[in-house]
């Protein structure tokens, strides 16, 4: 919404949320205090806020005034009842639809921005038409393809914008009005329009394909470790095949983030609900592989440290699910820490952007042990050298650029010996690390 406001000064954009604290943070005088850390975003908010970009808790007023409403609430995996652990929980979507229906006194275009299962638009339309005040609603699907950490550049130069809508003349008119908004900065050739179901399913498909690439290269990483092949060399060799392409072939401790796992589980659930068990099993394997990769990384730390980490200090560099974000949802670090805590390790974490409260919250959310034990077992510090001091091993969980530039000799000198580094992101140079004295292991190379 910030980008739309910046690129379309003639359009008034109001972002509403029930969460008073969150909206206050978006309105904080110092734009560095906005609730999301995302390179370049503060400057854009600074430029547009108060001009044509507003943050407010007056949800009903904003619905009443708007001609177009984007539903951008979260759709987490269900944690209860039918479809538990797989299906998307559409509770918040439904609540939005009901609120829009009860408030709207003029025709509106309702845009699904949240990632949704196929045919959700049908449910949204049903609610709007049956509980509304007799006004006309057009539903559009406009899934988002930005990645965190690069959100601003992704939005300014998207590979494509996708808009799905009804194939009726009214649907086409609604599609056109959203196309016109994006056309303020996106070339028309890159704005695709489809029917609603193709648009909804394309979003899930894109994320499934991306996650599948990571699981595919991670599957190869284990084979590389056994055979003496080097996964980075393999990725480079296959990536030069223009049919495969070089992106998204970085082997790692496993993918995280709020989307990949959730969207694939959702896809699996949809496939199963149509009785397409082979399709469901095929995609579920991407998740199985990812879970295996996280567990395998943690397991390797334990076995390498002479089969026990009990009472040993393990330093985590990074907690976010990728660099340049403070988002930790489904981060591999959480699961690796959980596993090591089960082995009675003392984990110390440093992440340039993630705060202690979040880290403890992430561990408590798993409900593996009491909050008190999580707090005792996981110390969070704001200095990387302190994190690594007296540690038996360091695990790199996020690929923050600054980790490459640390004084690794100093870190080595202050560690227990032998000093181990497990690079879960393949960002450090093995030869250099070994020259400082470390026993160094990365993902996908034989040791
Ligand atoms: C992902 C998609 O890339 C976006 O297109 C999509 O819009 C977004 O989900 C969404 O649905 O909201 P995001 O999760 O923000 O974006 O970040 P990614 O760059 O895709 O990374 C996801 C995870 O995969 C991270 O943990 C990352 O470290 C890992 N990854 C990525 C690898 O391990 N190797 C790679 O080569 C690439």
């Amino acid at each position: 919404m910030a980008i739309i406001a910046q690129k379309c000064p003639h359009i008034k954009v109001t972002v509403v949320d029930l969460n008073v604290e969150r909206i206050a943070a978006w309105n904080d005088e110092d734009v560095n205090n906005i609730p999301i850390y995302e390179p370049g975003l503060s400057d854009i908010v600074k430029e547009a806020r108060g001009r044509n970009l507003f943050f407010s808790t007056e949800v009903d007023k904003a619905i009443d005034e708007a001609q177009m409403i984007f539903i951008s609430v979260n759709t987490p995996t269900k944690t209860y009842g039918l479809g538990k652990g797989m299906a998307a929980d559409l509770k918040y979507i439904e609540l939005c639809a009901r609120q829009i229906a009860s408030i709207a006194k003029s025709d509106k275009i309702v845009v699904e921005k949240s990632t949704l299962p196929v045919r959700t638009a049908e449910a949204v339309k049903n609610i709007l038409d049956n509980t509304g005040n007799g006004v006309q609603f057009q539903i559009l699907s406009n899934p988002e393809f930005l990645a965190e950490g690069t959100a601003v550049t992704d939005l300014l130069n998207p590979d494509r914008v996708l808009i799905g809508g009804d194939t009726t003349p009214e649907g086409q008119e609604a599609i056109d009005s959203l196309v016109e908004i994006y056309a303020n900065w996106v070339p028309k050739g890159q704005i695709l329009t489809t029917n609603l179901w193709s648009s909804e399913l394309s979003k899930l498909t894109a994320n499934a394909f991306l996650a599948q690439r990571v699981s595919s290269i991670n599957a190869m990483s284990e084979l590389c470790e056994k055979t003496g092949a080097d996964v980075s060399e393999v990725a480079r060799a296959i990536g030069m095949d223009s049919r495969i392409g070089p992106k998204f072939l970085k082997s790692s401790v496993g993918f995280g983030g709020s989307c990949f796992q959730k969207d694939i589980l959702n896809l699996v659930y949809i496939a199963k609900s149509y009785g397409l068990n082979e399709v469901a099993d095929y995609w579920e394997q991407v998740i199985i592989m990812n879970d295996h990769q996280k567990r395998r990384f943690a397991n390797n730390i334990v076995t390498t440290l002479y089969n026990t980490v009990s009472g040993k200090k393990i330093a985590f560099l990074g907690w976010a699910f990728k660099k340049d974000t403070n988002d930790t949802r489904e981060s591999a670090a959480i699961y690796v820490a959980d596993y090591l805590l089960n082995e009675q390790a003392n984990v110390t974490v440093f992440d340039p952007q993630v705060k202690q409260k979040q880290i403890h919250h992430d561990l408590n959310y798993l409900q593996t042990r009491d909050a008190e034990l999580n707090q005792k077992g996981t110390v969070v510090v704001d200095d990387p050298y302190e994190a690594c001091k007296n540690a038996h091993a360091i695990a790199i969980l996020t690929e923050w650029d600054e980790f490459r530039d640390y004084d690794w000799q100093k870190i080595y000198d202050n560690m227990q010996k032998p000093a181990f580094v497990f690079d879960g992101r393949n960002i450090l140079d093995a030869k250099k690390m070994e020259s400082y004295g470390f026993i160094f292991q990365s993902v996908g190379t034989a040791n």
Side-chain angles (χ1 to χ4, degrees):
M1 291 303 115
I3 300 282
I4 290 181
Q6 189 211 24
K7 291 294 179 186
C8 313
H10 56 288
I11 296 175
K12 181 180 173 192
V13 179
T14 309
V15 178
V16 289
D17 199 298
L18 298 171
N19 187 328
V20 179
E21 231 177 86
R22 180 87 48 94
I23 289 297
W26 280 106
N27 281 322
D28 196 301
E29 232 168 273
D30 181 354
V31 284
N32 293 315
N33 293 336
I34 59 174
I36 294 178
Y37 173 73
E38 191 64 56
L41 181 58
S42 302
D43 290 339
I44 287 169
V45 170
K46 192 172 182 179
E47 181 188 330
R49 200 174 60 187
R51 180 188 71 189
N52 64 326
L53 175 63
F54 302 92
F55 296 93
S56 159
T57 50
E58 292 182 289
V59 182
D60 290 352
K61 180 165 177 270
I63 292 173
D64 182 38
E65 288 175 0
Q67 291 155 290
M68 192 180 274
I69 300 168
F70 290 77
I71 300 185
S72 317
V73 292
N74 57 340
T75 50
T77 305
K78 269 187 93 173
T79 53
Y80 55 89
L82 196 65
K84 178 180 171 180
M86 286 221 155
D89 192 341
L90 300 181
K91 179 167 68 183
Y92 305 109
I93 296 283
E94 181 169 343
L95 286 171
C96 279
R98 287 186 186 275
Q99 191 165 3
I100 292 169
S102 77
I103 301 298
K105 293 189 284 296
S106 57
D107 295 352
K108 314 257 179 225
I109 297 171
V110 175
V111 185
E112 298 173 345
K113 198 59 167 155
S114 308
T115 301
L116 296 167
V118 200
R119 299 206 78 90
T120 304
E122 204 166 33
V124 171
K125 188 155 179 50
N126 252 320
I127 293 167
L128 289 171
D129 289 346
N130 285 301
T131 61
N133 306 311
V135 298
Q136 294 301 310
F137 293 103
Q138 276 302 319
I139 321 290
L140 298 179
S141 157
N142 174 217
E144 188 47 65
F145 296 105
L146 70 83
E148 290 180 32
T150 52
V152 170
T153 47
D154 291 348
L155 286 167
L156 291 175
N157 308 295
D159 287 346
R160 76 321 202 172
V161 167
L162 180 58
I163 301 170
D166 257 351
T167 43
T168 58
E170 296 81 11
Q172 193 54 50
E173 207 178 301
I175 291 175
D176 291 344
S177 51
L178 186 51
V179 168
E180 284 317 312
I181 294 178
Y182 283 105
N184 282 289
W185 78 97
V186 180
K188 280 231 167 124
Q190 279 157 248
I191 306 178
L192 300 184
T193 59
T194 65
N195 77 29
L196 271 167
W197 323 126
S198 302
S199 174
E200 287 179 340
L201 186 58
S202 297
K203 169 66 192 178
L204 295 181
T205 309
N207 272 356
F209 270 58
L210 289 168
Q212 180 199 40
R213 274 175 78 96
V214 179
S215 274
S216 296
I217 199 71
N218 280 343
M220 290 305 157
S221 76
E222 192 169 14
L223 198 55
C224 286
E225 288 165 25
K226 297 285 179 226
T227 56
D230 177 331
V231 78
S232 308
E233 291 180 349
V234 172
R236 188 150 169 256
I238 64 164
M240 283 173 78
D241 184 324
S242 60
R243 294 167 303 175
I244 297 174
K247 293 182 182 166
F248 255 74
L249 289 178
K250 279 202 201 85
S251 185
S252 67
V253 54
F255 62 74
S258 65
C259 301
F260 282 176
Q261 173 159 316
K262 165 177 80 82
D263 291 353
I264 291 181
L265 288 173
N266 190 353
L267 195 62
V268 169
Y269 183 74
I270 295 169
K272 276 194 180 150
S273 69
Y274 286 110
L276 309 178
N277 292 329
E278 289 77 6
V279 176
D281 290 349
Y282 178 78
W283 287 109
E284 193 167 14
Q285 200 60 34
V286 173
I287 303 286
I288 293 171
M289 190 63 227
N290 195 50
D291 287 340
H292 171 66
Q293 189 76 349
K294 291 182 276 191
R295 214 171 28 248
R296 184 168 94 71
F297 182 81
N299 218 352
N300 182 44
I301 295 179
V302 179
T303 49
T304 308
L305 295 186
Y306 317 109
N307 283 322
T308 176
V309 289
S310 178
K312 290 181 181 168
K313 176 174 175 180
I314 313 288
F316 274 32
L317 293 182
W319 190 268
F321 83 99
K322 62 185 282 196
K323 73 172 180 179
D324 292 338
T325 175
N326 58 354
D327 195 341
T328 64
R329 285 175 290 177
E330 291 299 327
S331 179
I334 304 169
Y335 296 93
V336 175
D338 189 52
Y339 187 95
L340 294 178
L341 289 172
N342 277 345
E343 296 285 329
Q344 302 179 351
N346 299 323
V347 176
T348 301
V349 185
F350 167 76
D351 186 288
Q353 288 295 337
V354 183
K355 307 261 178 308
Q356 169 175 316
K357 192 171 153 204
Q358 183 63 47
I359 292 172
H360 287 145
H361 169 83
D362 290 339
L363 285 167
N364 293 342
Y365 187 77
L366 295 181
Q367 296 187 337
T368 312
R369 64 192 71 73
D370 286 350
E372 213 177 296
L373 286 175
N374 280 331
Q375 215 152 332
K376 224 172 120 206
T378 322
V379 176
V380 182
V381 296
D382 53 14
D383 173 46
Y385 295 95
E386 190 190 331
C388 300
K389 197 170 177 179
N390 287 326
H392 291 260
I394 296 171
I396 303 208
L397 276 309
T398 312
E399 72 282 20
W400 288 99
D401 289 336
E402 65 175 69
F403 295 167
R404 298 173 205 262
D405 303 327
Y406 287 168
D407 183 345
W408 284 100
Q409 188 65 64
K410 178 172 155 191
I411 291 175
Y412 174 81
D413 292 343
N414 288 327
M415 281 176 69
Q416 305 271 352
K417 306 295 172 334
F420 296 88
V421 171
F422 299 91
D423 185 354
R425 295 292 183 161
N426 294 352
I427 55 169
L428 298 172
D429 185 289
K431 285 218 171 69
K432 249 199 216 160
M433 294 300 283
E434 278 158 10
S435 76
Y436 299 131
F438 288 109
I439 297 177
F440 181 79
Q441 293 192 10
S442 53
V443 178
T445 43
N447 297 293

